[in-house]
């Protein structure tokens, strides 16, 4: 039989006979076998287990044929064989014997061990990838990469470096001397080889010793002893340009195999991506810091500009309006005290001066109001809508009485998110316009109502005024836009600009619908909801 066959005594385990295949497999002669027992071809640590099994088997087992399972056998040269044994019970010359057929399954075990090793390495690689992805600096990426490279390959030394001068090492106690600051050896020779080859480099111990670069390396740095085999894999950017290397050495006398190289190449790829990511993040953070500094500078400049604008506004309010008031007062005094000495043309000129001074004063006030509403900080709060409408109408009471206007209000108890003073300014301008822009001789009529819908409040103001043509509905919200002469309808053309700007500051909006008679303004605000 080509399968090794071992015939041995059931009680003692002494060999009785073996076949030729057994002699070839185990390396013993037949006479040597006959002086041995089944226990002599087992590793010493497996003998107690076999003796226990032998006892169980000898307690009257009646099965003539059975599988004894997987065991380890030892050859004469000390090689451990993984075998699968099948045993038959038989009797020869009144002697109880076992005949064991031995099947060598070492190749299968070796393949299985390689698969298990590969699975462990892949698990370690996955864990290493997660660890590398979580670090924050290039130095940390290099250190973690060196540590994991040494673990994955079983090496005594691992160095991860990027050009020009960043490197981190993971060293066993054999290379403890190299851990001291400034004593880590350079890897320039390996780097030069990688830049020429541009792919992974794997050398066995003999190739390393014979390599001229190693001789130069040893002369520069010395060595605790032969560093054995070496694997070096490139670290590359996404554009395939080399930026560094991962180098492992000294596998305790063994050579690195193709699987070691493969796993290190994958680890190098993970490290390369992490280094690029960290560098990009660092560049982005630096850019963000620069932007923050610019924002601070621009904010400071804006604050200075706003202060200058406030000073300018004060100058307008105080220095410019004061001469206007003087002009208006003196003109009014001349008209009152010297009216009998002036002809009709003189009195008309004085009236024009007084009117112009008043218009200029109103224009300055409107410009200041528009400037304030554009620049002042607007803190939004809960505002009772109905109360604000009533306060606005109370402010306009004299105007309403003078033109005998009809006001119809239907505002439920709603609360909006707004700025109280700004909201009153919005209503004052809209209602004032509704009372002002009416055909001569026509009684003004204004209707105000509000509804709540999906978290917003719509406030509608409708009038019976002169209306606005469709082509002018967007223009009217621009500063100084007037559709009618000041003689017919006095004003500065800033009121609706203040309305639009104020609503924008309160996160609101305004739209208009208008026909030949009357206009409808729709204001949309956020409804205030507690909590």
């Amino acid at each position: 039989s080509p399968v090794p066959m071992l015939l041995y005594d059931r009680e003692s385990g002494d060999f009785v006979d073996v076949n030729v295949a057994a002699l070839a497999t185990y390396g013993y002669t037949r006479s040597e076998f006959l002086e041995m027992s089944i226990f002599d071809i087992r590793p010493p640590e497996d003998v107690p287990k076999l003796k226990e099994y032998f006892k169980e088997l000898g307690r009257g087992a009646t099965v003539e044929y059975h599988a004894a399972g997987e065991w380890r056998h030892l050859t004469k040269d000390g090689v451990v064989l993984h075998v699968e044994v099948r045993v038959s019970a038989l009797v020869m010359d009144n002697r109880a014997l076992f005949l064991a057929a031995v099947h060598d399954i070492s190749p299968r075990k070796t393949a299985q061990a390689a698969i298990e090793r590969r699975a462990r390495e892949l698990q370690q690689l996955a864990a290493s990838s997660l660890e590398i992805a979580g670090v924050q600096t290039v130095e940390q990426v290099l250190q973690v990469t060196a540590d994991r490279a040494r673990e994955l390959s079983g090496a005594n030394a691992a160095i991860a470096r990027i050009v020009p001068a960043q490197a981190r090492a993971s060293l066993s106690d054999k290379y403890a001397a190299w851990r001291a600051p400034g004593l880590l050896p350079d890897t320039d020779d390996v780097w030069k080889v990688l830049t020429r080859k541009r792919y992974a480099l794997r050398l066995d111990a003999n190739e390393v010793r014979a390599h001229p670069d190693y001789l130069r390396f040893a002369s520069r740095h010395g060595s605790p002893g032969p560093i054995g085999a070496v694997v070096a894999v490139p670290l590359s950017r996404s554009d395939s340009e080399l930026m560094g290397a991962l180098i492992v050495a000294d596998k305790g006398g063994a050579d690195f195999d193709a699987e070691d190289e493969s796993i290190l190449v994958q680890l190098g790829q993970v490290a390369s991506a992490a280094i690029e990511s960290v560098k990009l993040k660092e560049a982005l953070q630096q850019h963000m810091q620069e932007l923050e500094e610019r924002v601070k500078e621009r904010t400071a400049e804006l604050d200075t500009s706003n202060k200058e604008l406030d000073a300018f506004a004060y100058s307008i309010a105080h220095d410019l309006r004061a001469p206007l008031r003087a002009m208006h007062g003196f003109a009014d005094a001349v008209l009152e005290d010297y009216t009998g000495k002036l002809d009709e043309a003189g009195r008309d000129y004085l009236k024009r001066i007084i009117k112009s001074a008043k218009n200029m004063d109103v224009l300055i006030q409107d410009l200041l109001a528009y400037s304030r509403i554009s620049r002042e900080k607007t803190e939004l709060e809960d505002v009772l809508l109905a109360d604000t409408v009533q306060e606005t109408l109370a402010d306009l009471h004299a105007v309403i009485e003078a033109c005998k206007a009809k006001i119809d209000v239907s505002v439920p108890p709603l609360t909006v998110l707004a700025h109280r003073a700004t909201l009153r300014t919005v209503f004052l301008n809209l209602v004032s316009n509704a009372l002002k822009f009416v055909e001569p001789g026509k009684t003004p009529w204004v209707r105000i109502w509000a509804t709540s819908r999906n978290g917003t409040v719509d406030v509608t103001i409708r009038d019976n005024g002169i209306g606005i043509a469709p082509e002018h509905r967007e223009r009217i919200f621009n500063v100084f836009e007037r559709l009618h002469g000041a003689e017919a309808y006095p004003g500065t053309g800033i009121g609706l600009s203040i309305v639009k700007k104020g609503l924008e500051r309160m996160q609101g909006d305004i739209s208009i619908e208008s026909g030949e008679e009357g206009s409808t303004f729709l204001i949309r605000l956020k409804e205030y909801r507690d909590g």
Side-chain angles (χ1 to χ4, degrees):
S1 170
V3 176
M5 306 289 285
L6 308 174
L7 187 65
Y8 55 95
D9 187 272
R10 289 194 200 181
E11 296 295 333
S12 64
D14 293 336
F15 286 117
V16 174
D17 206 351
V18 296
N19 69 347
V20 175
L23 301 179
T25 299
Y26 291 91
Y28 294 105
T29 64
R30 186 173 183 277
S31 59
E32 288 174 328
F33 257 117
L34 296 181
E35 293 177 359
M36 299 164 58
S37 72
I38 193 69
F39 303 105
D40 295 326
I41 61 169
R42 306 296 175 112
E45 61 270 21
D46 291 359
V47 171
K49 177 182 175 182
L50 178 61
K51 287 182 176 181
E52 184 63 31
Y53 175 77
F54 219 74
K55 285 181 183 179
E56 294 293 330
L57 202 61
R59 288 174 183 165
T62 57
V63 180
E64 294 186 357
Y65 174 80
H66 71 279
E70 295 182 6
W71 295 85
R72 294 193 305 167
H73 284 185
L74 201 61
T75 69
K76 185 176 181 179
D77 295 333
V79 177
V80 176
L81 303 178
H82 293 272
V83 297
E84 190 174 70
V85 180
R86 296 184 178 275
V87 178
S88 299
L90 50 89
V91 177
M92 295 178 65
D93 299 329
N94 294 322
R95 187 177 182 182
L97 305 173
F98 281 132
L99 178 63
V102 181
H103 299 271
D104 187 1
I105 60 171
S106 296
R108 187 179 78 191
K109 282 289 187 179
T110 301
Q112 182 179 349
I115 292 173
E116 291 174 352
R117 173 195 169 192
R118 182 64 171 175
R120 288 193 300 271
E121 288 175 345
L122 290 175
Q123 288 177 343
Q124 291 174 328
L125 180 62
S128 301
S129 300
L130 292 175
E131 186 178 4
I132 290 172
V135 301
Q136 302 297 320
T137 66
V138 172
E139 287 76 12
Q140 290 174 335
V141 173
L142 295 176
Q143 187 61 63
V144 172
T145 301
D147 292 339
R148 298 301 161 261
R150 196 159 73 85
E151 290 176 7
L152 287 167
S153 63
N156 282 302
I159 297 176
R161 63 165 285 179
I162 59 172
V163 291
Q166 282 182 288
R168 290 292 184 273
S170 179
L171 304 168
S172 70
D173 291 340
K174 177 180 178 180
Y175 298 97
W178 286 353
R179 294 175 184 165
L183 294 182
L184 181 66
D186 65 70
T187 52
D188 291 343
D189 294 324
V190 179
W191 170 251
K192 291 174 183 177
V193 174
L194 284 180
T195 55
R196 292 196 303 268
K197 292 183 175 294
R198 307 186 73 82
Y199 56 81
L201 175 70
R202 176 160 53 98
L203 301 175
D204 62 28
N206 293 329
E207 290 171 327
V208 169
R209 283 195 299 271
H211 202 285
D213 289 337
Y214 175 67
L215 299 177
R216 288 193 296 270
F217 171 86
S219 66
R220 285 199 305 271
H221 302 290
S223 174
I227 65 172
V230 169
V231 173
V233 300
L235 302 180
S236 305
R237 298 200 308 254
S238 55
D239 59 2
S240 299
E241 286 298 316
L242 269 63
M243 62 178 172
L246 171 61
I247 303 161
V248 297
D250 192 353
K251 198 178 179 180
D255 290 330
F256 296 102
D257 56 24
E259 289 191 4
D260 292 322
E261 179 182 333
S262 174
I263 205 75
L264 290 172
V265 166
Q266 294 178 67
L267 180 64
Q269 292 170 347
V270 171
S272 298
I275 290 170
E276 269 203 304
S277 176
V278 169
K279 285 188 172 183
L280 180 62
K281 189 183 298 182
E282 289 176 348
L284 182 60
Q285 288 176 344
Q286 182 177 357
H287 183 62
M288 291 297 295
Q289 289 176 351
E290 291 175 356
L291 286 178
E292 287 179 4
E293 291 298 323
R294 290 181 186 178
V295 169
K296 289 179 181 178
E297 292 175 2
R298 296 292 187 271
T299 302
E301 292 174 0
L302 184 59
D303 288 341
T304 301
S305 178
N306 283 337
K307 290 177 182 178
E308 292 174 352
L309 285 173
D310 288 338
F312 179 67
Y314 176 79
S315 176
I316 291 176
H318 184 270
D319 298 337
L320 191 56
R321 291 182 67 196
L324 280 175
R325 287 193 295 269
M327 185 189 307
H328 176 276
F330 283 121
D332 196 39
V334 170
L335 184 62
E336 182 178 344
D337 296 340
Y338 297 94
T339 185
K341 298 181 179 181
L342 296 172
D343 57 11
E344 187 63 30
R347 289 191 294 271
D348 182 61
Y349 292 154
L350 286 173
K351 290 177 182 178
R352 288 173 181 264
I353 292 172
I354 293 170
K355 183 178 180 181
S356 295
K358 288 181 178 179
N359 290 340
M360 187 65 178
D361 190 57
V362 172
L363 177 60
I364 291 172
Q365 292 184 62
D366 285 350
L367 284 172
L368 288 172
Y370 184 79
S371 175
R372 281 195 301 270
I373 208 167
S374 299
R375 292 184 294 104
E376 286 182 348
K377 188 175 182 180
T378 304
E379 295 287 349
L380 302 184
E381 58 183 346
D382 53 313
V383 177
L384 296 175
L385 185 61
D387 290 355
T388 306
V389 172
Q390 291 302 325
E391 290 169 4
T392 302
L393 296 178
D395 291 341
L396 294 171
H397 177 72
V399 180
I400 294 171
E401 288 294 321
C403 63
K404 303 186 185 304
K406 180 182 178 182
I407 309 296
D408 183 7
V409 178
S410 179
V411 177
L414 296 171
T415 304
V416 295
L417 186 66
H419 182 253
R420 191 181 309 276
T422 302
L423 188 58
R424 284 184 62 181
T425 301
V426 168
F427 287 145
L428 276 169
N429 278 280
L430 291 175
V431 176
S432 296
N433 285 350
L435 298 174
K436 179 170 57 175
F437 291 99
V438 181
E439 292 181 357
K442 191 174 185 178
T443 301
W445 168 82
V446 181
R447 183 187 174 198
I448 306 172
W449 74 94
T451 56
S452 173
R453 180 179 59 186
N454 298 328
T456 62
V457 173
D458 291 343
V459 183
T460 307
I461 300 176
R462 179 176 294 173
D463 61 49
N464 64 339
I466 57 177
I468 301 169
E471 62 270 21
H472 301 314
R473 290 176 190 170
E474 292 299 326
R475 287 179 50 213
I476 61 172
F477 293 106
N478 296 333
V479 180
F480 298 127
E481 286 288 350
R482 295 180 53 87
L483 305 182
H484 309 281
E487 296 79 9
Y489 298 101
T492 60
I494 301 178
L496 288 179
S497 301
I498 293 175
V499 169
K500 186 174 180 63
K501 180 63 68 174
L503 288 170
E504 288 176 353
R505 298 298 300 276
M506 294 186 294
Q507 303 174 20
D509 195 12
I510 185 170
S511 60
I512 181 174
E513 293 182 2
S514 185
E516 295 181 358
E517 181 177 341
S519 301
T520 301
F521 289 88
L522 175 64
I523 298 171
R524 181 156 292 168
L525 297 165
K526 288 186 177 181
E527 185 172 6
Y528 177 82
R529 293 179 179 177
D530 190 13

